[in-house]
Amino acid sequence: MSFDRSVKIAPSILSADFANFGQEIRAIEAEGADWVHVDVMDGHFVPNLTFGPMAVKAFRPHVKTVMDVHLMIAPVDPYIEAYADAGADVLTAHIEAGPHIHRTLQAIRASGMKAGVALNPGTPAEAVAHLLDLTDLICVMTVNPGFGGQKFIDMTGKIMALRQMIGDRPVHIEIDGGVDPTTAPKVRAAGADVLVAGSAVFKGGSVDNPSVYGENIRAIREAANAA
Ligand code: DX5
Ligand code: ZN
C-alpha cells in the first residue's frame, strides 16, 4: 500500500446486498472504488451486529484494492490476529473501545497491518495527539457509529485540527458517515483523503445494474476534487 493524499472513495459494504458480497465487491471495484470498507459491529460497542473474521476472510479473495476493516467492537485486542489472518490491509479500532489504544495500535502494526484509530463525534481531535506516530489512518466519524444512512454531522473543525497535527506524517484522514456529493467537498477542503460512503454509493444500483455504482462514485469524487 503506497501513501498519497489524493481522494480515495471507499464504499461501505454495509449498504451492499448481504446475500451477495462477492459480486457486490467485484462490482464496486470494477466501477471505480479505490478501497473497500468493511464495517464490523458487535452489538455491544454499537447497537448493531454485522460480520466476524470468518466472513471478512471470505470477502478477501474478491478484494483487489485495499480491504479497510473498521472495527466497532469492544474489546479489540483479542481479535487482532483473527482480522490479520482474514487479510485486512487496514485495521481501525475506536479510541473509545478500551483503555489501551496505544497498545492496540502497536499490536495491529505488529500483526502486519496498517493501524487506524477512529473517533466518535463526541471525541476531540486532541485525543490522538500522542498517537500520531503509531497510526496510519485517523477515521473521523461524521455519524454516531452503528448504522448506514444517517444524517451527516459536521466535523470540519476537528478535521482541520487533525490535518494540522498530522503535518507531513503519512497518515490518512478518513471520513465515515453521511458522505455524499454535497458533504464530500466540505470534508475534502478540511483535509480528508479517504471518503467512506455506503448509501450514497449503493443507492439505485445493484449487481445487475452496476453502472449506477460507477455514477455514484464519480459524483462523490468529482464533488470532492472540485473543493
Ligand atoms: C457507520 C459505518 C459507516 C456506514 C456509512 O457506523 O461505520 O461505514 O456504513 O454509511 P453511510 O455512508 O450510509 O452513512
Ligand atoms: Zn465504517
Side-chain angles (χ1 to χ4, degrees), residues 12 37-39 70 72 139 141 174 176 196:
S12 164
H37 185 82
V38 179
D39 285 307
H70 177 193
M72 286 160 275
C139 174
M141 296 303 303
E174 176 177 77
D176 191 359
V196 175

Side-chain angles (χ1 to χ4, degrees), residues 94-179:
H94 268 263
I95 200 163
E96 306 86 3
H100 301 297
I101 187 69
H102 193 283
R103 176 189 293 155
T104 299
L105 294 172
Q106 284 179 319
I108 293 172
R109 279 189 170 172
S111 296
M113 298 172 285
K114 298 286 185 193
V117 58
L119 306 182
N120 279 336
T123 303
E126 290 68 31
V128 299
H130 299 284
L131 303 172
L132 295 170
D133 293 314
L134 285 171
T135 189
D136 303 290
L137 175 148
I138 301 172
C139 174
V140 178
M141 296 303 303
T142 40
V143 296
N144 285 297
F147 302 95
Q150 301 183 80
K151 193 175 176 315
F152 178 82
I153 303 169
D154 197 320
M155 291 280 135
T156 302
K158 191 193 289 190
I159 301 165
M160 290 172 70
L162 288 168
R163 184 67 198 88
Q164 196 156 23
M165 286 162 70
I166 288 168
D168 291 334
R169 294 176 180 86
V171 179
H172 297 288
I173 298 181
E174 176 177 77
I175 308 301
D176 191 359
V179 172

Side-chain angles (χ1 to χ4, degrees), residues 4-66:
D4 69 63
R5 290 192 205 283
S6 63
V7 170
K8 289 164 281 295
I9 309 296
S12 164
I13 59 168
L14 188 61
S15 295
D17 173 2
F18 267 46
N20 219 348
F21 281 119
Q23 261 191 289
E24 290 277 45
I25 290 167
R26 293 197 302 275
I28 52 174
E29 288 196 339
E31 293 295 333
D34 299 287
W35 291 13
V36 175
H37 185 82
V38 179
D39 285 307
V40 174
M41 305 186 186
D42 68 351
H44 164 76
F45 178 69
V46 290
N48 200 0
L49 196 56
T50 56
F51 17 74
M54 290 169 71
V56 175
K57 192 171 190 166
F59 305 156
R60 178 70 259 187
H62 302 280
V63 179
K64 301 287 180 260
T65 57
V66 170

